Amino acid sequence: MQPALNDFFAALDQSIADDSLVKISLGNYRGTEPLKNIYVKAVLIKQKAMLSFTYRYKTRDIVKNYTPEEARTELSTHIATDQFRIATLFTTAFDAVLEFNKSNTLTFRKGKASLNVVPEKSHDRTKQRKLEANGKQYLHELQITDAEGKVYKSAQDKFRQINHYIEILSTLLKELPAKDMLHVADMGAGKGYLTFALYDYLTNTLQKPATVTGVEYRQDLVALCNNIAGNVGFDKLHFEEGTIEAYQPEEIDVLIALHACDTATDDAIAKGIHGDADLIVVAPCCHKQIRREMEQHKADNDLDFLLKHGIFTERQSEMVTDGIRALILEYFGYRTKVFEFISDAHTPKNVLIVGAKKGHQDPAQKQLLLDKIKNAKAYFGIQQHYLEKVTGI
């Protein structure tokens, strides 16, 4: 057994040394575990050469990484104990087969290479982000990164969340009509994480001239964000103190409102509709208004059995609230999308409503939409959706 095994490992060492290793496959398993095969490939982990083992079981795969020395021991264990009857080494120079014959003798043979491409070795996933941390002074002042541009461990979730939002918005922003100046409003901007990133992405990545306004009712956050914007030279980014309801924009092309509570989302949508915005993006939360109406009137319909349970009532009211919001946006000439996205650890799942301006609806289509809204309200016992009130339909 030992000479054949030594020949196999010599061939493996050669393939690692000259970078010709494609893969190793172990088959014809005779052990007692529900294991079918083992596959081995070369990988780079933190710039260190390793061998990655995929243990293929009947119902799952398990992956473990070993140094070349550890891999040799692992392979020896599985072959020498007669667990696998055949091991095939594939390289771009030759194929090598280690196999037990009918006499239970371990044999080694080499043949012509059947594969000619070495797979990519990079095991570390390069994170493709719309927003990179390095060189972003505003991220440092917002306490996302240190002075060298490294994201703080405590801010990793926030940085991923910012990038996730920019990823979602990127395609929508690229599809906007060309304008000399894009006017963007971020309603309920908070500490301005997304507002700064959005301004950076628009002006520096997409090279779209833009003015971005963050609306926030907490004066201390407004002062902080305006100070940071001045420090980093974002001269067309500014923050205003006030509520979404009271905000009166002179021009608006893009309206964003993330996690505006209850009817504040409707106030934001209405601002976008009245301002004839090309793009409206909202992530609603706290759907209280419609839930109160549904609980108060308790409509008798085929779904009333769901309203006996609080958790179902909550989910039903969320879907009804956002469904009618989408219909109202369509009434005003917006093409709508409603989809779920992952936000962060504190709000793991959210619904995003996107309205892209496509033009005015024809009267017949508007009437059909009004009828849908009316029928939906009657079915669920709703007197009026707040968005109807603030948009005047």
Side-chain angles (χ1 to χ4, degrees):
M1 179 183 293
Q2 196 62 41
L5 197 60
N6 288 342
D7 289 341
F8 183 83
F9 285 130
L12 173 60
D13 292 342
Q14 177 186 338
S15 68
I16 293 174
D18 61 20
D19 197 26
S20 64
L21 174 61
V22 178
K23 65 179 179 179
I24 303 171
S25 174
L26 275 63
N28 198 2
Y29 180 69
R30 299 293 179 87
T32 57
E33 297 182 54
L35 183 62
K36 298 171 64 179
N37 299 93
I38 297 177
Y39 301 104
V40 184
K41 65 179 181 179
V43 295
L44 279 175
I45 300 177
K46 296 182 179 179
Q47 301 305 309
K48 184 178 181 180
M50 304 281 282
L51 290 175
S52 180
F53 282 57
T54 298
Y55 299 84
R56 180 145 298 166
Y57 291 84
K58 290 182 179 180
T59 58
R60 72 192 192 282
D61 287 354
I62 295 177
V63 177
K64 295 182 180 180
N65 301 312
Y66 301 102
T67 66
E69 294 76 18
E70 293 169 337
R72 178 190 286 264
T73 301
E74 183 71 6
L75 287 168
S76 295
T77 299
H78 288 290
I79 295 169
T81 57
D82 196 20
Q83 289 184 328
F84 286 92
R85 302 288 292 178
I86 184 169
T88 306
L89 168 66
F90 296 91
T91 79
T92 57
F94 56 83
D95 287 355
V97 178
L98 187 67
E99 184 177 16
F100 284 94
N101 61 21
K102 292 181 180 179
S103 303
N104 206 35
T105 301
L106 193 62
T107 63
F108 174 80
R109 67 181 184 274
K110 291 174 71 172
K112 185 178 179 181
S114 57
L115 301 173
N116 57 16
V117 178
V118 175
E120 171 63 41
K121 292 185 178 62
S122 178
H123 188 271
D124 302 323
R125 294 183 179 178
T126 302
K127 298 178 180 178
Q128 299 296 324
R129 292 192 173 108
K130 295 294 182 181
L131 178 70
E132 294 298 334
N134 191 37
K136 308 291 186 182
Q137 179 62 25
Y138 67 88
L139 290 177
H140 176 52
E141 298 208 23
L142 288 169
Q143 299 180 335
I144 296 292
T145 66
D146 61 20
E148 284 72 42
K150 183 179 179 180
V151 178
Y152 290 121
K153 186 175 180 179
S154 60
Q156 292 286 344
D157 286 344
K158 177 59 67 176
F159 186 60
R160 281 193 292 268
Q161 180 189 18
I162 294 168
N163 264 285
H164 186 55
Y165 283 133
I166 297 298
E167 178 73 34
I168 291 171
L169 293 172
S170 60
T171 302
L172 301 170
L173 295 171
K174 290 175 184 176
E175 294 173 350
L176 288 172
K179 294 189 176 182
D180 293 336
M181 183 64 69
L182 198 62
H183 297 86
V184 181
D186 182 11
M187 304 289 203
K191 196 175 178 180
Y193 298 111
L194 176 64
T195 325
F196 277 93
L198 183 59
Y199 181 87
D200 180 22
Y201 183 71
L202 280 169
T203 59
N204 295 321
T205 303
L206 297 184
Q207 297 291 305
K208 285 181 178 285
T211 62
V212 178
T213 302
V215 180
E216 171 57 44
Y217 72 90
R218 288 166 288 186
Q219 192 277 331
D220 58 329
L221 293 182
V222 171
L224 171 69
C225 291
N226 278 328
N227 183 57
I228 295 174
N231 291 343
V232 300
F234 285 2
D235 56 350
K236 287 186 169 54
L237 169 63
H238 70 282
F239 293 79
E240 295 186 9
E241 181 183 356
T243 64
I244 295 173
E245 182 180 8
Y247 178 61
Q248 298 295 333
E250 293 183 7
E251 291 184 75
I252 187 165
D253 299 306
V254 178
L255 179 136
I256 298 171
L258 303 180
H259 309 305
C261 187
D262 197 22
T263 56
T265 291
D266 299 308
D267 287 324
I269 293 173
K271 297 294 180 185
I273 290 172
H274 292 149
D276 201 30
D278 294 306
L279 179 65
I280 298 172
V281 181
V282 296
C285 72
C286 306
H287 302 64
K288 298 177 182 178
Q289 187 247 329
I290 292 301
R291 177 171 180 170
R292 284 194 295 266
E293 295 222 8
M294 290 172 63
E295 290 178 330
Q296 179 180 349
H297 299 104
K298 296 188 181 299
D300 183 14
N301 59 49
D302 293 337
L303 299 180
D304 59 4
F305 71 96
L306 293 176
L307 304 185
K308 294 179 181 179
H309 310 283
I311 184 68
F312 290 158
T313 302
E314 179 180 354
R315 292 176 182 175
Q316 187 84 316
S317 63
E318 290 176 2
M319 289 189 290
V320 172
T321 302
D322 293 334
I324 294 177
R325 281 168 173 161
L327 287 174
I328 293 174
L329 277 164
E330 290 173 20
Y331 174 86
F332 283 101
Y334 286 84
R335 181 177 63 255
T336 61
K337 293 181 181 179
V338 180
F339 57 93
E340 187 178 69
F341 70 103
I342 304 302
S343 177
D344 60 22
H346 304 292
T347 51
K349 292 185 179 180
N350 294 275
V351 166
L352 200 72
I353 303 175
V354 174
K357 190 73 172 178
K358 67 175 184 178
H360 297 289
Q361 293 279 23
D362 64 77
Q365 184 63 27
K366 292 185 75 167
Q367 186 57 53
L368 285 174
L369 289 165
L370 283 177
D371 290 342
K372 281 188 178 181
I373 294 168
K374 179 181 177 181
N375 292 337
K377 290 192 301 177
Y379 189 81
F380 290 103
I382 299 166
Q383 300 298 306
Q384 185 182 48
H385 193 296
Y386 182 80
L387 187 54
E388 292 180 283
K389 175 182 175 181
V390 290
T391 55
I393 67 170

